[in-house]
Amino acid sequence: MCALWLALCALARLWLGVLAGCAEAGRCCPGRDSACSVRGWRLDRVYGTCFCDQACRLTGDCCFDYDRACPARPCFVGEWSAWSGCADQCKPTTRVRRRSVRQEPQNGGAPCPPLEEQAGCLEYSTKLGRDCGHAFVPAFITTSAFNKERTRQAASPQWSKHPEEPGYCMEFKTESLTPHCALEHGPLTRWMQYLREGYTVCVDCQPPAMNAESLRCSGDGLDSDGNQSLHWQAIGNPRCQGTWKKVRRVNQCSCPAVHSFIFI
């Protein structure tokens, strides 16, 4: 009886050794690490050297308990910060927002998304409050979605002289554009992909892009006879630019959202 008990104990120890894996060894290694290994069963049911490093998923030689002992954990990021101010005053430039990593990815988890985003902007007053930035040709445009954010900003002192002016909308027919517009895939620049030759687009002129004295937006083409090719440029990507011709001025824009823009 004693001999049988000793034999069973020996078999149990042997069986536990056979089942050795990442959990028993306490190993979970990032990247590729050939030293991060133990003797045990692999996921492909082969007994021998098995690995507990992240690269074993690609090479197919993970220990049988790798997924349980080393679960994949994705990257977690925090909320976006508020947008910064424009990098400069009185000329087209960029603003930025950032977010931080709360948890780094582990064991092959999803990588971190972009931690910084940039968007075009233009400030219409200097640090001393002097009006500026209204003399740009060609027209600088951005997506109409930005208008919702812009209207939350405090109105400039120059604009307050004309609180009753509702703004206006210009319709243009696009003639040409550079191929760089179609290459934009970022969440804040994807709108450039919808610029197309031959399409009619609407561009809204609203404060603070509207000059306080002339009540016009720079580059609006209002003085054109409709046969003149006018230049435009997408704010946030100076290589996305082209020409269009004035169609008409209307009180309210009525183009589809993807063909609706604002002067900036």
Side-chain angles (χ1 to χ4, degrees), residues 9 15 24 33 38 50 69 74 89 106 118 120 122 128 130 135 143 148 157 164 173 207 219 250 252:
C9 290
W15 178 249
E24 183 176 332
D33 186 352
V38 297
C50 61
Q89 289 78 42
Q106 298 176 7
Q118 293 187 356
L122 176 60
L128 298 177
R130 182 177 301 173
T143 172
K148 297 177 182 178
E164 72 284 353
K173 186 172 183 179
V250 293
Q252 297 290 333

Side-chain angles (χ1 to χ4, degrees), residues 140-161:
F140 288 93
I141 63 169
T142 189
T143 172
S144 60
F146 178 61
N147 209 32
K148 297 177 182 178
E149 179 177 333
R150 187 167 65 176
T151 54
R152 293 199 298 266
Q153 300 175 358
S156 69
Q158 291 78 15
W159 171 249
S160 61
K161 300 175 184 177

Side-chain angles (χ1 to χ4, degrees), residues 161-179:
K161 300 175 184 177
H162 305 279
E164 72 284 353
E165 178 59 42
Y168 58 93
C169 178
M170 295 298 301
E171 291 184 1
F172 299 95
K173 186 172 183 179
T174 55
E175 281 189 314
S176 65
L177 68 158
T178 59

Side-chain angles (χ1 to χ4, degrees), residues 159 162 165 168 205 210-217 249:
W159 171 249
H162 305 279
E165 178 59 42
Y168 58 93
C205 178
M210 184 182 291
N211 184 279
E213 301 301 327
S214 67
L215 300 183
R216 298 261 306 269
C217 287
R249 168 179 170 164

Side-chain angles (χ1 to χ4, degrees), residues 46-62:
V46 173
Y47 182 80
T49 301
C50 61
F51 292 86
C52 303
D53 62 335
Q54 184 178 334
C56 75
R57 291 182 180 273
L58 299 176
T59 54
D61 51 9
C62 297

Side-chain angles (χ1 to χ4, degrees), residues 50-238:
C50 61
F51 292 86
C52 303
D53 62 335
Q54 184 178 334
C56 75
R57 291 182 180 273
L58 299 176
T59 54
D61 51 9
C62 297
C63 293
F64 73 96
D65 65 342
Y66 178 80
D67 289 335
R68 175 173 55 84
C70 309
R73 292 187 171 88
C75 174
F76 284 111
V77 296
E79 297 294 326
W80 286 111
S81 68
W83 283 105
S84 69
C86 292
D88 205 344
Q89 289 78 42
C90 307
K91 65 180 182 181
T93 181
T94 57
R95 58 199 173 113
V96 66
R97 65 178 182 176
R98 297 181 176 89
R99 55 187 175 183
S100 59
V101 176
R102 298 288 178 84
Q103 175 184 284
E104 294 285 353
Q106 298 176 7
N107 306 324
C112 295
L115 302 178
E116 179 179 300
E117 287 184 342
Q118 293 187 356
C121 66
L122 176 60
E123 289 187 356
Y124 293 90
S125 62
T126 66
K127 294 180 179 179
L128 298 177
R130 182 177 301 173
D131 189 36
C132 66
H134 292 282
F136 288 100
V137 176
F140 288 93
I141 63 169
T142 189
T143 172
S144 60
F146 178 61
N147 209 32
K148 297 177 182 178
E149 179 177 333
R150 187 167 65 176
T151 54
R152 293 199 298 266
Q153 300 175 358
S156 69
Q158 291 78 15
W159 171 249
S160 61
K161 300 175 184 177
H162 305 279
E164 72 284 353
E165 178 59 42
Y168 58 93
C169 178
M170 295 298 301
E171 291 184 1
F172 299 95
K173 186 172 183 179
T174 55
E175 281 189 314
S176 65
L177 68 158
T178 59
H180 302 92
C181 303
L183 302 179
E184 291 292 343
H185 300 286
L188 299 173
T189 56
R190 193 177 295 122
W191 62 271
M192 300 179 196
Q193 295 182 7
Y194 299 101
L195 290 160
R196 296 285 192 275
E197 294 180 3
Y199 278 65
T200 297
V201 299
C202 296
V203 188
D204 217 358
C205 178
Q206 298 289 342
M210 184 182 291
N211 184 279
E213 301 301 327
S214 67
L215 300 183
R216 298 261 306 269
C217 287
S218 298
D220 63 3
L222 196 56
D223 300 325
S224 170
D225 60 7
N227 294 317
Q228 180 182 359
S229 293
L230 307 170
H231 291 269
W232 58 266
Q233 180 177 312
I235 197 78
N237 180 6

